[in-house]
């Protein structure tokens, strides 16, 4: 039994996660998975996710996990940003977001702050808060990086422009890489000191599981998912072309567009789906996509981090058609995974993203080797390592404080 003092100490352990979310679902979904792992089974733990995702409210969050929605921004084709809804300049929007972040941190007083991917936050919005926390000395700070960020040369230039190397060196206690070093090192090409590299911990990939039941087809199907969908139109169109060109193509397909594939493009896809006689069914968004992964005989997807974790976690044969713009992150991940025998990549550089290639890939999916046959299970310790590292940091807080 815990003493009253011990319970008070344990109950004061609070986690805040920052997820800038200027595009897609990846950062929010990764933060939600980590927050869930850190709070489940521990009635004294709580977590708040700071997110800019416009669809955060469409997700379910477990008990003792909540989120604060930051004003959203949209990235334009030229690489600049605008405010999504407020009519403010991007400078004013960033200032507003920065103020909300610092206010939330000051009032919640987290024991641990986990920052996803961007060391300085969106346009440097995190720097005032990180410097405040460093001066106050109570909250441990962690930079969490996915397994692949970008090509080393491009990443080095981006981090230099943002002052991200200095922030990583001076404002973070640890760096957690949600991957395996033997697969890829996302910090290749970054001029990080040996002292900083010594604070890096390779967690492994973040295992996913079915948390909410969802109806799934009773007949064999493949799951087709472009993740958030904002850049998935080419892949979706190619899959539909495969079913249109080959009337005998099996298995049938369940297509999840993602919340950011919408408007006229979505309408045109829906019209094509309607002509396929039920061989392809489509919905816009499914927050309980894990159940659909679990029931599928195979997956056709893009190469985002979260989708890759789901492919490994549910041990599904997968064909990955990675995007190559504006960064090569997905192509690097899919290429390395194919080299390791975990997935098959439909790569325009080698095969050409043709309808015939997609038809052949879908037909072969049910008999394609599963990731477990290439040792995928040994790559999925991420959440357990994250829980252990978080516990060690927060225990140090209470011992030192």
């Amino acid at each position: 039994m815990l003493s009253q003092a011990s319970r008070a100490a344990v109950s004061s352990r609070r986690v805040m996660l920052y997820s800038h979310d200027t595009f897609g679902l990846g950062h929010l979904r990764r933060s939600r998975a980590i927050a869930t792992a850190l709070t489940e089974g521990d009635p004294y733990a709580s977590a708040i996710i700071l997110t800019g995702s416009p669809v955060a409210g469409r997700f379910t969050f477990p008990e003792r996990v909540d989120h604060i929605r930051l004003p959203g921004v949209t990235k334009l084709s030229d690489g600049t940003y605008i405010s999504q809804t407020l009519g403010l300049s991007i400078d004013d929007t960033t200032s507003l977001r920065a103020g909300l972040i610092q206010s939330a941190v000051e009032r919640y007083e987290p024991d641990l702050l986990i920052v996803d991917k961007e060391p300085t936050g969106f346009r440097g919005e995190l720097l005032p808060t990180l410097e405040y926390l460093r001066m106050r000395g109570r909250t441990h700070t962690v930079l969490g990086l996915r397994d692949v960020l970008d090509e080393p040369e491009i990443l080095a230039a981006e981090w230099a422009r943002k002052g991200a190397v200095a922030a990583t060196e001076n404002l973070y206690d640890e760096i957690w890489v949600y991957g395996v070093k033997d697969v890829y090192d996302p910090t290749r090409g970054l001029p990080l000191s040996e002292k900083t590299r010594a604070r890096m911990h390779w967690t492994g990939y973040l295992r996913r599981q079915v948390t909410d039941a969802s109806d799934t087809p009773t007949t064999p199907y493949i799951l087709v998912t472009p993740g958030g969908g904002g850049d998935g139109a080419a892949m979706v169109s190619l899959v539909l072309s495969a079913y249109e060109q080959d009337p005998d193509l099996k298995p049938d397909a369940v297509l999840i567009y993602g919340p950011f594939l919408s408007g006229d493009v979505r309408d045109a896809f829906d019209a094509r789906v309607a002509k396929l006689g039920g061989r392809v069914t489509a919905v816009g968004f499914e927050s309980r996509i894990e159940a659909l992964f679990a029931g599928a005989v195979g997956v056709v997807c893009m190469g985002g981090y979260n989708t890759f974790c789901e492919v490994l976690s549910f041990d599904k044969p997968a064909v990955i058609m990675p995007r190559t713009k504006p960064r090569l992150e997905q192509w690097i991940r899919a290429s390395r995974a194919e080299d390791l025998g975990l997935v098959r990549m439909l790569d325009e550089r080698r095969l050409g993203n043709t309808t015939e290639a997609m038809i052949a890939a879908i037909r072969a999916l049910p008999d394609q080797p599963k990731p477990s046959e290439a040792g995928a299970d040994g790559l999925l310790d991420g959440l357990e390592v994250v829980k252990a590292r978080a516990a060690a940091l927060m225990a140090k807080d209470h011992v030192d404080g």
Side-chain angles (χ1 to χ4, degrees), residues 324-344:
T324 55
K325 295 177 182 179
R327 58 179 77 239
L328 279 181
E329 168 225 340
Q330 292 193 3
W331 186 90
I332 293 169
R333 179 179 298 112
S335 178
R336 286 294 295 134
E338 186 176 56
D339 289 345
L340 295 169
L342 298 167
V343 302
R344 181 184 175 194

Side-chain angles (χ1 to χ4, degrees), residues 146-313:
R146 65 187 183 219
D147 59 338
V148 182
L149 295 173
D150 205 343
E151 297 172 274
E153 298 79 9
I154 293 176
L155 181 66
E158 178 184 328
W159 275 43
R161 185 178 70 253
K162 295 178 176 179
V165 171
T168 302
E169 296 267 344
N170 300 318
L171 298 173
Y172 288 94
D173 298 302
E174 292 187 358
I175 300 99
W176 298 347
V177 181
Y178 307 127
V180 179
K181 192 172 186 179
D182 290 343
V183 176
Y184 194 78
D185 180 355
T187 66
R188 283 174 53 192
L190 294 178
L192 297 174
S193 67
E194 288 305 311
K195 183 178 179 181
T196 295
R197 290 189 178 278
R199 303 199 302 269
M200 291 177 60
H201 297 269
W202 299 80
T203 70
Y205 290 92
L206 306 177
R207 188 185 295 273
R208 307 303 166 86
Q209 58 187 356
V210 177
T211 54
D212 298 298
S214 181
D215 292 336
T216 59
T218 56
T219 56
Y221 67 93
I222 64 167
L223 177 64
V224 181
T225 170
D231 52 5
M235 189 200 78
V236 170
S237 183
L238 193 62
V239 169
L240 293 179
S241 293
Y243 283 91
E244 289 164 344
Q245 185 166 309
D246 186 346
D248 299 317
L249 182 59
K250 290 289 183 178
D252 291 344
V254 174
L255 167 60
I256 309 296
Y257 290 123
F260 303 115
L261 197 163
S262 57
D264 292 343
V265 175
R266 163 77 182 274
D267 291 343
F269 285 152
D270 280 339
R272 294 171 66 181
V273 167
K275 296 178 181 178
L276 288 171
R279 296 162 59 219
V280 176
T281 57
V283 298
F285 177 69
E286 176 55 77
S287 64
R288 298 169 293 182
I289 197 171
E290 294 88 355
L292 289 170
F293 263 97
V297 299
V299 179
V300 177
C301 58
M302 296 179 68
Y305 178 86
N306 290 285
T307 303
F308 183 61
C309 286
E310 285 155 344
V311 165
L312 299 186
S313 299

Side-chain angles (χ1 to χ4, degrees), residues 358-374:
M358 181 61 78
I359 291 172
I362 292 172
R363 282 193 177 280
L365 254 182
D367 299 316
Q368 183 178 309
K370 295 181 178 181
S372 59
E373 297 177 45

Side-chain angles (χ1 to χ4, degrees), residues 40-56:
E40 66 182 358
D42 182 353
Y44 304 108
S46 65
I48 293 178
I49 301 171
L50 302 173
T51 175
S53 173
V55 295

